[in-house]
Amino acid sequence: MPTKILSQHLGQGNKAIIKAAFIGAPLPLCSCGVIPVATELRRSGASAPATSAFLVATPETGVDSVSVSYALLGPVLAIYRPVTAILSAIFTGMIVATTKDTFAENKTNNTKNKPTSCCVSKAVAIEPEPEKVISACCASKTKVVKQTFMAKTLMGVRYSATQLIDDLVRWLLLGLLFATAVRTFVPTSFLLSYGSGLTAMLVMIAMSIPMYICATASTPIAAGFIMAGISPGTALVFMMAGPATNISTLGVIKSEMGGSVLIKYLLGISISAITFGLILDWGLVYFMIDISQQMQHSHELLPFWFGLTCVVILVFLAVKPLRKLLI
């Protein structure tokens, strides 16, 4: 999806915030992968609230993280998680909208008299259009390469079999080890006392904000938290705050949109994560839903031979020397 098309719909107003949340939610971009896209949107004319909403919704969920959530956490969180990501993005964008957007104007004035050059060397852009040549401002040529449906499909399969696996496997292993260690050495009574509620969620917020982790990779860690005895609502706080905030993202927000936007960005994420976490815990108790039981029995949804085949494929792709023999 070209950045220019996105920037046309992410200008001023509440509609732009809502559009940014819905556009960003399905995109499979990680916490750092979303930064250059959001920066380009901002510099192409997107408002600070819309950019903030995009920065929240995109790393918090995606088509890949929803499927992993269904496999590891069950259907309830697989549905609840993307809904909360979109709503928290809209809420954060609305809070940022209360800030007067003068930072971009000052930045523009500071760079107004600097010399610029439009001369560029040859560049290659990939779009699903017939091959053509476009003249640039200094007589250089931009070649648009036709990309077929099959080429896009193969690119997606390669991404899921390489980069996505590399991002997921280490955290899956860490989550399982964490759950095993906690269940073995930490008393259950301790987890039941401090594994839920507002205090536990505030601690999770403080731990998640500086952490770099994407939505897909945060899912196994959250599963480990729940298996260890922490409430699903507290684990949800981790899955919302972790991907949406990290040191790189916060630095870019301050640089591109100012310190006041950064403070309201963190405030919006924190309030929405804790609120939706508390609602989730209350709803599970009210409707008598046991998330941990859904996680334990999710393997019964698939035939044994199919699950075993998937395990073999996962192990093969996770071991890079073996994977490079085929991919």
Side-chain angles (χ1 to χ4, degrees):
M1 184 176 295
T3 305
K4 290 183 179 180
I5 294 180
L6 293 178
S7 62
Q8 291 174 3
H9 297 277
L10 304 183
Q12 303 294 329
N14 293 335
K15 287 186 179 180
I17 297 174
I18 297 173
K19 285 181 181 179
F22 278 94
I23 290 173
L27 298 181
L29 293 175
C30 67
S31 301
C32 283
V34 70
I35 292 176
V37 179
T39 302
E40 182 64 24
L41 288 176
R42 175 62 175 162
R43 294 175 180 177
S44 299
S47 64
T51 305
S52 299
F54 185 83
L55 277 168
V56 173
T58 306
E60 275 193 7
T61 188
V63 290
D64 51 348
S65 63
V66 170
S67 59
V68 173
S69 298
Y70 180 80
L72 296 180
L73 303 174
V76 173
L77 277 173
I79 297 172
Y80 189 75
R81 185 181 182 184
V83 172
T84 57
I86 293 173
L87 293 178
S88 65
I90 295 173
F91 176 72
T92 303
M94 295 294 184
I95 291 182
V96 172
T98 61
T99 304
K100 189 176 180 181
D101 194 9
T102 58
F103 186 80
E105 296 176 4
N106 295 335
K107 202 170 182 181
T108 303
N109 293 333
N110 292 334
T111 58
K112 189 173 182 181
N113 297 323
K114 290 185 178 180
T116 57
S117 174
C118 63
C119 295
V120 291
S121 57
K122 292 182 180 179
V124 177
I126 298 178
E127 291 184 3
E129 296 180 4
E131 185 171 342
K132 58 184 179 180
V133 175
I134 304 174
S135 298
C137 57
C138 295
S140 61
K141 294 181 179 181
T142 302
K143 186 179 181 181
V144 180
V145 181
K146 180 179 180 181
Q147 190 179 27
T148 63
F149 175 79
M150 182 59 66
K152 290 183 178 181
T153 303
L154 292 176
M155 184 184 300
V157 171
R158 183 176 179 82
Y159 163 78
S160 61
T162 54
Q163 182 178 340
L164 182 59
I165 290 291
D166 293 339
D167 290 340
L168 177 62
V169 166
R170 66 173 74 92
W171 298 109
L172 177 61
L173 179 61
L174 180 61
L176 294 175
L177 291 175
F178 171 82
T180 303
V182 172
R183 288 176 66 91
T184 303
F185 300 108
V186 180
T188 305
S189 58
F190 176 83
L191 292 172
L192 295 176
S193 300
Y194 298 96
S196 62
L198 182 59
T199 302
M201 292 180 183
L202 289 173
V203 172
M204 193 64 74
I205 286 283
M207 183 181 73
S208 303
I209 285 178
M211 191 176 185
Y212 167 68
I213 190 168
C214 67
T216 306
S218 68
T219 310
I221 301 294
F225 283 145
I226 296 174
M227 290 169 61
I230 291 176
S231 72
T234 306
L236 178 71
V237 171
F238 171 77
M239 290 190 291
M240 292 181 68
T245 59
N246 62 66
I247 299 300
S248 301
T249 302
L250 301 183
V252 169
I253 292 174
K254 189 177 187 305
S255 173
E256 294 293 327
M257 293 179 278
S260 59
V261 170
L262 174 60
I263 293 173
K264 293 185 177 181
Y265 178 86
L266 291 173
L267 185 64
I269 291 174
S270 301
I271 293 175
S272 57
I274 292 174
T275 301
F276 287 122
L278 292 172
I279 292 174
L280 177 62
D281 283 343
W282 173 83
L284 294 177
V285 173
Y286 183 81
F287 294 104
M288 294 182 291
I289 300 173
D290 190 350
I291 292 291
S292 58
Q293 190 170 4
Q294 289 184 355
M295 293 166 58
Q296 293 172 5
H297 293 282
S298 61
H299 63 277
E300 297 180 359
L301 297 173
L302 300 173
F304 175 76
W305 65 266
F306 185 77
L308 185 61
T309 303
C310 291
V311 169
V312 173
I313 294 174
L314 179 62
V315 172
F316 175 80
L317 295 176
V319 181
K320 285 187 178 182
L322 292 177
R323 187 179 71 200
K324 288 181 177 179
L325 297 176
L326 182 64
I327 301 178

